[in-house]
């Protein structure tokens, strides 16, 4: 059995596989080379660099499994894989805590103005009064999407003394009450949250879920964080809402176009941005590699 590892994954995952397969690690393989070479492989492991396109899948002759060492499978042509009966696996649970921690990091950075204060001190200034923040204690956090990550965020936010509102049409009020959160409709959440955080997948239903109308419903000093997918927030409308102080600030790890090179959002002071790194910790990447390596092993060993 032969496995190609086309993106960098944790060593522990590679070691797991070496017990049962010939492992080729080529993390700079191009799309053309992959189309050429895929015919020799029974399994491919990727993160997000490599695109497992229809062309790659159609060129495969004995491929049985495509494994994404992470959550989203946006870089795999699912329809093409299904047509050829190739299994696609991922490791959605591996990054939940890591993403929840990053979300809390963006929230803290926003409400205490940490990144602009940092820049100011490094420029030789000492502008104490400019950086008055707010406490999280006693404030309301609105969580949009109470899945794996949303739930981990709720646990952490409660430890900060926050009340939690949730909008998730697939979660009942009873299920919410069991973990100490209040399930409400989107409008109520938008009108009553001091901080909002998005943890839904990007689907036709969630595309531009947060646009002009939604920003206008929010409290004047509300903050919103998106560590899910670009496109859930309408970035043109977010720019207007931030520029005109309709809301207090935003924290983004994901963008409609990545990198968001010429986005006017990057010119604003009341936004904190990171380069899609919410899932990037040693622990999450190790766990993702081990989980997908074991899935591939299962296919090989029956
Ligand atoms: P999950 O599937 O466990 O949870 C998603 C939740 O969204 C579910 O509870 C679902 O009911 C809810 N939902 C679906 N459609 C909805 C809608 N229209 N309105 C409100 N709620 C809706 O997923 P997860 O593991 O918690 O991950 C959430 C998202 O985070 C993923 O889809 C992924 O895009 C993103 N993510 C980003 C990073 C990153 O690096 N920034 C890393 C991991 C995951």
């Amino acid at each position: 059995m032969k496995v190609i590892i086309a993106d960098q994954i944790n060593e522990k995952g590679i070691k797991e596989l070496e017990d049962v397969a010939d492992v080729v690690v080529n993390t700079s393989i191009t799309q053309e080379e992959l189309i050429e070479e895929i015919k020799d492989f029974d399994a491919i492991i990727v993160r997000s660099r490599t695109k497992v396109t229809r062309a790659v899948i159609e060129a495969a002759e004995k491929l049985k499994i495509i494994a994404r060492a992470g959550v989203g499978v946006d870089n795999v042509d699912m329809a093409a894989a299904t047509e050829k009966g190739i299994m696609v696996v991922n490791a959605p649970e591996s990054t939940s805590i890591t993403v929840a921690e990053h979300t809390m990091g963006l929230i803290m950075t926003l409400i205490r103005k940490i990144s602009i204060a940092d820049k100011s001190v490094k420029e030789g200034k000492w502008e104490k009064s400019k950086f008055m923040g707010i406490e999280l204690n006693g404030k309301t956090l609105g969580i949009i999407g109470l899945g794996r990550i949303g739930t981990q965020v709720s646990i952490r936010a409660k430890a900060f003394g926050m009340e939690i509102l949730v909008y998730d049409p697939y979660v009942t009020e009873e299920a919410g009450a069991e973990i100490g959160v209040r399930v409400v409709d989107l409008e109520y959440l938008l009108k009553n949250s001091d901080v909002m955080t998005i943890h839904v997948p990007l689907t036709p239903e969630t595309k531009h879920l947060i646009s002009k109308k939604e920003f206008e419903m929010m409290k004047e000093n509300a903050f919103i964080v998106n560590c899910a997918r670009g496109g859930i927030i309408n970035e043109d409308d977010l720019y207007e809402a931030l520029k005109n102080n309709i809301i207090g600030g935003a924290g983004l790890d994901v963008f409609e176009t990545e990198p968001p090179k010429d986005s006017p959002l990057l010119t604003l002071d009341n936004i904190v941005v990171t380069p899609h790194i919410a899932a990037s910790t040693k622990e999450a990447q190790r766990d993702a590699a081990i989980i997908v390596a074991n899935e591939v092993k299962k296919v090989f060993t029956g």
Side-chain angles (χ1 to χ4, degrees), residues 115-162:
S115 63
I116 48 171
D118 170 84
K119 190 163 164 262
S120 156
V121 176
K122 286 175 181 165
E123 285 169 358
K125 302 174 194 157
W126 197 252
E127 305 172 292
K128 282 173 74 108
S129 59
K130 194 173 160 190
F131 302 121
M132 182 67 72
I134 59 160
E135 278 186 355
L136 287 183
N137 185 44
K139 300 292 188 308
T140 299
L141 177 70
I143 300 180
I144 300 173
L146 190 74
R148 284 174 290 257
I149 298 170
T151 303
Q152 291 299 331
V153 170
S154 76
I155 294 167
R156 282 150 186 80
K158 270 197 277 175
F160 275 90
M162 299 189 86

Side-chain angles (χ1 to χ4, degrees), residues 176-194:
E178 267 174 36
I179 61 163
V181 303
R182 239 176 96 204
V183 178
V184 296
D185 62 32
L186 183 58
E187 186 171 333
Y188 187 90
L189 181 145
L190 298 169
K191 287 183 173 165
N192 291 284
S193 300
D194 301 292

Side-chain angles (χ1 to χ4, degrees), residues 146-149 168-170 199-201 205-206 227-229 253 276:
L146 190 74
R148 284 174 290 257
I149 298 170
D168 188 324
Y170 307 100
H199 302 290
V200 296
E205 227 180 81
T206 63
C227 285
R229 280 288 178 270
D253 183 54
H276 204 145

Side-chain angles (χ1 to χ4, degrees), residues 2-4 38 41-45 52 62-68 85-90 292-300:
K2 283 189 81 176
V3 183
I4 179 160
I38 193 72
F41 292 96
D42 301 275
I44 179 168
I45 299 186
V52 189
K62 49 185 192 148
L63 195 64
K64 296 171 189 61
I65 179 166
I66 299 166
R68 154 83 164 102
I86 297 168
M87 188 191 290
V88 179
V89 295
N90 62 347
V292 294
N294 281 320
E295 292 291 331
V296 172
K297 251 171 122 172
K298 265 192 244 161
V299 170
F300 287 177

Side-chain angles (χ1 to χ4, degrees), residues 232-301:
I232 298 168
I233 293 182
N234 180 324
E235 285 182 7
D236 293 339
D237 293 353
L238 175 63
Y239 175 75
E240 291 301 323
L242 290 171
K243 196 170 134 253
N244 300 321
N245 297 316
I246 308 277
I247 62 168
L252 301 182
D253 183 54
V254 288
F255 302 86
E256 297 199 341
T257 305
E258 293 181 359
K261 266 193 278 171
D262 302 320
S263 170
L265 285 171
L266 306 183
T267 63
L268 300 172
D269 254 359
N270 50 355
I271 186 165
V272 174
V273 292
T274 50
H276 204 145
I277 53 162
S280 300
T281 62
K282 288 180 181 161
E283 293 82 357
Q285 297 310 319
R286 176 200 61 208
D287 293 351
I290 293 172
I291 289 168
V292 294
N294 281 320
E295 292 291 331
V296 172
K297 251 171 122 172
K298 265 192 244 161
V299 170
F300 287 177
T301 56

Side-chain angles (χ1 to χ4, degrees), residues 160-181:
F160 275 90
M162 299 189 86
E163 298 294 322
I164 317 286
L165 297 178
V166 163
Y167 168 64
D168 188 324
Y170 307 100
V171 173
T172 61
E173 279 179 35
E174 295 71 32
E178 267 174 36
I179 61 163
V181 303

